[in-house]
Amino acid sequence: MIMKKTVLSALCMIAAGCLFSADWYVDNTKGNDSNAGSKDAPFLTIKCGMDRMKGGDTLHLTPNSEPYREKIGSFEKNLSGTPDKPTVVDGHDARIELIKHFNAEMWKPEGDDIYSLKYPNNCVAMFAKGYYAGFPFVRLDGKLIPCVTKREELQENTCLLILHYDVAKKGFSDLHNYLFVKLPPGKTPADVKIEAPDNNNCLVNGSYITIKNLTAEWNASDSFDSSRGTGIVFENVKAAWCMDQCISAHSTAGADIRFSSFANALCGGCLDVTFQNGESCNVRYYGCFFGPNASAGFKGTGKGYEMNSCILRDGYVSVQGEAVLKLTNCVIIKESDRSKANSANVGVSVTDKGSLIMENCTVIGFKHGGFFSTVGTVSIKNCVFIDCETNLLFMKDLSAELFSSTDNVFAPKGLYQVGNSKFKTLDEVNAKYQFDKGSVAVPGGYKGKGCNLDPKLTFEQLKTLLQTAVK
């Protein structure tokens, strides 16, 4: 009897918590942290609102012309909502710009008008080059300055970020993550304003949490993260100018990313991974726009990766490890000027033990439409490959048991390659390997094959089209 009362009391407390969930408001221009946090008396800072939140609450950001300069922070398990009452951050189309002023006290003089500091960032994926080689990220008095690749290349109003792994020490070198800036003659960091991205924006560690209607730009790490939670939703979020990924899931048991856009990220629009072997990652992207320079990567042992009705411009899809991806009704298009594009030459790649189910997709303009070096299974059905130099490239011997091609359309001039053997026509490769059923080689797609989305759609047009389609 006592145990039943205890359980009943606990259920009542949970129900009461959901029943009395609160709405908190933040306004970064008119608010005050001594306010009540109501709609008429909002807080000034996101932190103040986050400190007041409990599971099931909603935090509202007031959109202003001045972007928010602070991160949302972490949603730990104690901030988890429920399936019926999730914890919510509604940005109402507000923008977060994580540009930090690194003041004079933080810089060390190196001589010759050069100053240095240890820069907090997450660009470890770039250390193989020994230096940062991405988009300009340092602002000097409000203007972005170029990055160079060596100390001796530093000139007035340029910077250098060292990313170096010491093989002998089996660790990062002493200069790893050091940022050097060369100022105009005689100037010091006290005379100018030096700014750069600082930290990531939002990390979701709990469950049943929704982040929506929010733009995050200029992050030294990821814009949006999730980790080991379920019932996580990112809806109508936009991320750009990220020094790692725009969005990343880590062994996330269940997440939906809807009608969102990701662009200009050094390490990809998304990279979803598992922390340990045997874990899964169930992440579904629907109606999202990737690009430019924002590819989609899936790796580890995640078996529940999905992309549906998405467009990738100047980006690609990669499946690695033992990951399994279902790719449906997507357009993957290379920038028309291939020499200018900053993405890989492959539309879809599957490596290691990765597996892919690809249906009703269109791949346009890559050197290799599909690149496969896997012992996992690959199925491509009702897809179109247009203007690709090589339609399909297999690094290992082609097996009909592992790879199936059904009712696809291939550009007639595109080659097929298996190992070092090249085939000019679909009939030639199929005569030897018998991997295909019903596909044809014609100049373009036709009704019933490939994706019906127009790859020239803007994100807003895509969002409107897809929202109308699912009503």
Side-chain angles (χ1 to χ4, degrees):
M1 182 66 70
I2 294 175
M3 182 177 291
K4 288 183 178 180
K5 288 183 177 180
T6 302
V7 173
L8 182 61
S9 297
L11 292 174
C12 290
M13 289 177 65
I14 293 173
C18 294
L19 181 64
F20 296 107
S21 57
D23 287 85
W24 303 99
Y25 293 83
V26 178
D27 188 320
N28 66 326
T29 61
K30 300 177 182 178
N32 192 308
D33 283 347
S34 63
N35 285 345
S38 64
K39 189 173 184 179
D40 295 329
F43 298 129
L44 176 67
T45 65
I46 295 174
K47 183 181 184 306
C48 190
M50 289 288 292
D51 288 344
R52 302 299 196 280
M53 289 187 78
K54 63 181 185 300
D57 286 359
T58 298
L59 180 69
H60 301 269
L61 304 185
T62 304
N64 294 305
S65 57
E66 175 65 22
Y68 287 77
R69 303 289 185 180
E70 59 173 322
K71 64 182 181 179
I72 291 175
S74 298
F75 282 87
E76 302 301 331
K77 292 181 180 179
N78 65 308
L79 285 177
S80 293
T82 67
D84 296 330
K85 189 65 177 178
T87 305
V88 179
V89 171
D90 191 339
H92 299 282
D93 294 327
R95 183 163 61 95
I96 293 177
E97 189 175 289
L98 291 180
I99 293 289
K100 176 181 179 179
H101 175 206
F102 290 87
N103 58 41
E105 291 74 21
M106 304 175 72
W107 294 91
K108 174 186 175 182
E110 298 281 350
D112 195 25
D113 300 309
I114 297 173
Y115 294 83
S116 69
L117 59 72
K118 188 80 168 180
Y119 176 62
N121 73 91
N122 197 34
C123 289
V124 293
M126 307 295 289
F127 67 68
K129 294 182 178 180
Y131 57 87
Y132 171 86
F135 50 79
F137 70 101
V138 176
R139 293 182 183 180
L140 191 60
D141 286 337
K143 294 183 179 180
L144 290 168
I145 61 175
C147 304
V148 299
T149 62
K150 297 177 182 179
R151 177 76 176 265
E152 54 268 27
E153 293 176 352
L154 281 168
Q155 299 178 6
E156 179 181 331
N157 296 338
T158 63
C159 66
L160 164 67
L161 175 58
I162 294 178
L163 300 166
H164 185 253
Y165 187 82
D166 191 321
V167 177
K169 293 173 60 176
K170 296 183 180 180
F172 295 114
S173 70
D174 294 337
L175 286 177
H176 177 69
N177 271 353
Y178 263 87
L179 174 64
F180 296 84
V181 175
K182 183 163 183 175
L183 301 180
K187 295 286 186 179
T188 74
D191 303 315
V192 296
K193 188 176 183 180
I194 307 175
E195 299 172 293
D198 176 51
N199 218 315
N200 64 348
N201 171 43
C202 177
L203 173 61
V204 177
N205 287 321
S207 295
Y208 302 108
I209 295 169
T210 296
I211 313 296
K212 62 182 181 179
N213 306 321
L214 182 65
T215 295
E217 297 179 333
W218 299 103
N219 295 271
S221 182
D222 301 337
S223 286
F224 301 101
D225 273 346
S226 63
S227 177
R228 288 201 166 115
T230 192
I232 299 167
V233 175
F234 293 96
E235 184 171 304
N236 191 31
V237 299
K238 301 179 183 180
W241 306 111
C242 309
M243 298 181 77
D244 204 344
Q245 285 92 36
C246 290
I247 191 167
S248 186
H250 308 87
S251 296
T252 300
D256 289 278
I257 296 89
R258 308 168 184 153
F259 308 114
S260 297
S261 68
F262 311 106
N264 295 314
L266 278 183
C267 302
C270 75
L271 180 60
D272 296 343
V273 301
T274 49
F275 286 124
Q276 299 175 0
N277 288 336
E279 289 186 321
S280 192
C281 202
N282 298 288
V283 184
R284 298 164 293 272
Y285 292 85
Y286 185 86
C288 294
F289 191 101
F290 290 75
N293 303 324
S295 300
F298 306 90
K299 63 190 302 185
T301 55
K303 310 299 183 186
Y305 297 121
E306 294 184 27
M307 294 188 74
N308 190 313
S309 302
C310 297
I311 290 179
L312 291 90
R313 287 194 67 90
D314 187 26
Y316 57 93
V317 175
S318 172
V319 184
Q320 304 174 49
E322 299 178 19
V324 178
L325 170 67
K326 185 175 182 181
L327 189 65
T328 309
N329 198 42
C330 295
V331 173
I332 307 164
I333 182 171
K334 179 79 170 183
E335 184 177 301
S336 57
D337 183 356
R338 298 182 189 179
S339 62
K340 179 181 177 182
N342 187 31
S343 67
N345 288 320
V346 178
V348 180
S349 70
V350 187
T351 59
D352 303 324
K353 299 179 181 179
S355 295
L356 172 69
I357 301 169
M358 181 176 175
E359 296 183 1
N360 298 97
C361 294
T362 301
V363 180
I364 305 173
F366 289 85
K367 183 175 182 180
H368 306 298
F371 174 90
F372 308 103
S373 178
T374 178
V375 295
T377 59
V378 174
S379 171
I380 299 179
K381 184 177 181 180
N382 289 333
C383 294
V384 176
F385 293 79
I386 302 172
D387 191 27
C388 297
E389 295 178 27
T390 303
N391 288 317
L392 303 176
L393 171 59
F394 303 90
M395 294 303 294
K396 301 177 181 179
D397 200 36
L398 179 56
S399 166
E401 289 75 26
L402 296 179
F403 185 90
S404 65
S405 168
T406 308
D407 296 331
N408 298 302
V409 175
F410 298 101
K413 295 182 180 180
L415 296 172
Y416 306 84
Q417 185 171 339
V418 182
N420 293 323
S421 300
K422 295 182 179 181
F423 302 85
K424 292 183 178 180
T425 68
L426 179 62
D427 290 338
E428 287 179 11
V429 65
N430 204 33
K432 183 173 181 179
Y433 294 102
Q434 299 178 353
F435 77 106
D436 181 87
K437 295 180 181 179
S439 296
V440 294
V442 297
Y446 56 89
K447 189 175 181 181
K449 298 288 191 296
C451 178
N452 293 321
L453 294 175
D454 182 352
K456 295 182 180 179
L457 288 172
T458 65
F459 169 67
E460 293 300 330
Q461 290 171 328
L462 171 67
K463 184 175 70 172
T464 300
L465 173 67
L466 292 176
Q467 285 176 331
T468 302
V470 297
K471 285 184 178 178

PDB file of all heavy atoms in Angstrom, residues 376-387:
ATOM      1  N   GLY A 376      28.899  -3.397 -47.031  1.00  0.00           N
ATOM      2  CA  GLY A 376      27.488  -3.337 -46.678  1.00  0.00           C
ATOM      3  C   GLY A 376      26.640  -3.380 -47.930  1.00  0.00           C
ATOM      4  O   GLY A 376      27.150  -3.414 -49.059  1.00  0.00           O
ATOM      5  N   THR A 377      25.343  -3.344 -47.764  1.00  0.00           N
ATOM      6  CA  THR A 377      24.434  -3.424 -48.909  1.00  0.00           C
ATOM      7  C   THR A 377      24.036  -2.037 -49.389  1.00  0.00           C
ATOM      8  O   THR A 377      23.889  -1.099 -48.601  1.00  0.00           O
ATOM      9  CB  THR A 377      23.163  -4.213 -48.539  1.00  0.00           C
ATOM     10  OG1 THR A 377      22.506  -3.566 -47.443  1.00  0.00           O
ATOM     11  CG2 THR A 377      23.515  -5.637 -48.159  1.00  0.00           C
ATOM     12  N   VAL A 378      23.857  -1.919 -50.706  1.00  0.00           N
ATOM     13  CA  VAL A 378      23.435  -0.664 -51.322  1.00  0.00           C
ATOM     14  C   VAL A 378      22.303  -0.975 -52.294  1.00  0.00           C
ATOM     15  O   VAL A 378      22.421  -1.867 -53.137  1.00  0.00           O
ATOM     16  CB  VAL A 378      24.586   0.020 -52.072  1.00  0.00           C
ATOM     17  CG1 VAL A 378      24.083   1.259 -52.820  1.00  0.00           C
ATOM     18  CG2 VAL A 378      25.700   0.402 -51.109  1.00  0.00           C
ATOM     19  N   SER A 379      21.200  -0.228 -52.163  1.00  0.00           N
ATOM     20  CA  SER A 379      20.068  -0.377 -53.067  1.00  0.00           C
ATOM     21  C   SER A 379      19.700   0.994 -53.624  1.00  0.00           C
ATOM     22  O   SER A 379      19.443   1.930 -52.857  1.00  0.00           O
ATOM     23  CB  SER A 379      18.866  -0.981 -52.325  1.00  0.00           C
ATOM     24  OG  SER A 379      17.702  -0.949 -53.137  1.00  0.00           O
ATOM     25  N   ILE A 380      19.691   1.116 -54.964  1.00  0.00           N
ATOM     26  CA  ILE A 380      19.325   2.373 -55.618  1.00  0.00           C
ATOM     27  C   ILE A 380      18.154   2.094 -56.551  1.00  0.00           C
ATOM     28  O   ILE A 380      18.245   1.248 -57.441  1.00  0.00           O
ATOM     29  CB  ILE A 380      20.513   2.958 -56.407  1.00  0.00           C
ATOM     30  CG1 ILE A 380      21.677   3.246 -55.449  1.00  0.00           C
ATOM     31  CG2 ILE A 380      20.107   4.233 -57.128  1.00  0.00           C
ATOM     32  CD1 ILE A 380      22.896   3.807 -56.141  1.00  0.00           C
ATOM     33  N   LYS A 381      17.056   2.821 -56.336  1.00  0.00           N
ATOM     34  CA  LYS A 381      15.839   2.552 -57.097  1.00  0.00           C
ATOM     35  C   LYS A 381      15.163   3.852 -57.506  1.00  0.00           C
ATOM     36  O   LYS A 381      15.046   4.788 -56.724  1.00  0.00           O
ATOM     37  CB  LYS A 381      14.880   1.708 -56.249  1.00  0.00           C
ATOM     38  CG  LYS A 381      13.607   1.290 -56.965  1.00  0.00           C
ATOM     39  CD  LYS A 381      12.745   0.406 -56.074  1.00  0.00           C
ATOM     40  CE  LYS A 381      11.478  -0.040 -56.775  1.00  0.00           C
ATOM     41  NZ  LYS A 381      10.635  -0.901 -55.893  1.00  0.00           N
ATOM     42  N   ASN A 382      14.717   3.904 -58.775  1.00  0.00           N
ATOM     43  CA  ASN A 382      13.979   5.059 -59.300  1.00  0.00           C
ATOM     44  C   ASN A 382      14.749   6.366 -59.134  1.00  0.00           C
ATOM     45  O   ASN A 382      14.177   7.413 -58.824  1.00  0.00           O
ATOM     46  CB  ASN A 382      12.618   5.197 -58.622  1.00  0.00           C
ATOM     47  CG  ASN A 382      11.646   4.117 -59.052  1.00  0.00           C
ATOM     48  OD1 ASN A 382      11.750   3.574 -60.147  1.00  0.00           O
ATOM     49  ND2 ASN A 382      10.714   3.785 -58.182  1.00  0.00           N
ATOM     50  N   CYS A 383      16.070   6.322 -59.330  1.00  0.00           N
ATOM     51  CA  CYS A 383      16.903   7.516 -59.190  1.00  0.00           C
ATOM     52  C   CYS A 383      17.426   7.969 -60.542  1.00  0.00           C
ATOM     53  O   CYS A 383      17.429   7.223 -61.525  1.00  0.00           O
ATOM     54  CB  CYS A 383      18.078   7.238 -58.248  1.00  0.00           C
ATOM     55  SG  CYS A 383      17.553   6.936 -56.545  1.00  0.00           S
ATOM     56  N   VAL A 384      17.872   9.234 -60.584  1.00  0.00           N
ATOM     57  CA  VAL A 384      18.390   9.823 -61.817  1.00  0.00           C
ATOM     58  C   VAL A 384      19.781  10.380 -61.559  1.00  0.00           C
ATOM     59  O   VAL A 384      19.997  11.091 -60.574  1.00  0.00           O
ATOM     60  CB  VAL A 384      17.459  10.949 -62.325  1.00  0.00           C
ATOM     61  CG1 VAL A 384      18.067  11.621 -63.549  1.00  0.00           C
ATOM     62  CG2 VAL A 384      16.082  10.397 -62.658  1.00  0.00           C
ATOM     63  N   PHE A 385      20.739  10.065 -62.425  1.00  0.00           N
ATOM     64  CA  PHE A 385      22.092  10.605 -62.363  1.00  0.00           C
ATOM     65  C   PHE A 385      22.323  11.407 -63.640  1.00  0.00           C
ATOM     66  O   PHE A 385      22.324  10.861 -64.742  1.00  0.00           O
ATOM     67  CB  PHE A 385      23.122   9.474 -62.240  1.00  0.00           C
ATOM     68  CG  PHE A 385      23.053   8.735 -60.938  1.00  0.00           C
ATOM     69  CD1 PHE A 385      22.079   7.766 -60.728  1.00  0.00           C
ATOM     70  CD2 PHE A 385      23.947   9.019 -59.910  1.00  0.00           C
ATOM     71  CE1 PHE A 385      22.010   7.092 -59.512  1.00  0.00           C
ATOM     72  CE2 PHE A 385      23.878   8.347 -58.699  1.00  0.00           C
ATOM     73  CZ  PHE A 385      22.907   7.388 -58.502  1.00  0.00           C
ATOM     74  N   ILE A 386      22.501  12.721 -63.489  1.00  0.00           N
ATOM     75  CA  ILE A 386      22.600  13.631 -64.626  1.00  0.00           C
ATOM     76  C   ILE A 386      23.951  14.344 -64.612  1.00  0.00           C
ATOM     77  O   ILE A 386      24.408  14.811 -63.562  1.00  0.00           O
ATOM     78  CB  ILE A 386      21.469  14.692 -64.576  1.00  0.00           C
ATOM     79  CG1 ILE A 386      20.094  14.010 -64.578  1.00  0.00           C
ATOM     80  CG2 ILE A 386      21.569  15.664 -65.739  1.00  0.00           C
ATOM     81  CD1 ILE A 386      18.955  14.983 -64.340  1.00  0.00           C
ATOM     82  N   ASP A 387      24.591  14.452 -65.791  1.00  0.00           N
ATOM     83  CA  ASP A 387      25.815  15.234 -65.956  1.00  0.00           C
ATOM     84  C   ASP A 387      26.906  14.807 -64.990  1.00  0.00           C
ATOM     85  O   ASP A 387      27.616  15.642 -64.420  1.00  0.00           O
ATOM     86  CB  ASP A 387      25.500  16.729 -65.786  1.00  0.00           C
ATOM     87  CG  ASP A 387      26.680  17.610 -66.214  1.00  0.00           C
ATOM     88  OD1 ASP A 387      27.462  17.163 -67.077  1.00  0.00           O
ATOM     89  OD2 ASP A 387      26.828  18.714 -65.666  1.00  0.00           O
TER      90      ASP A 387
END
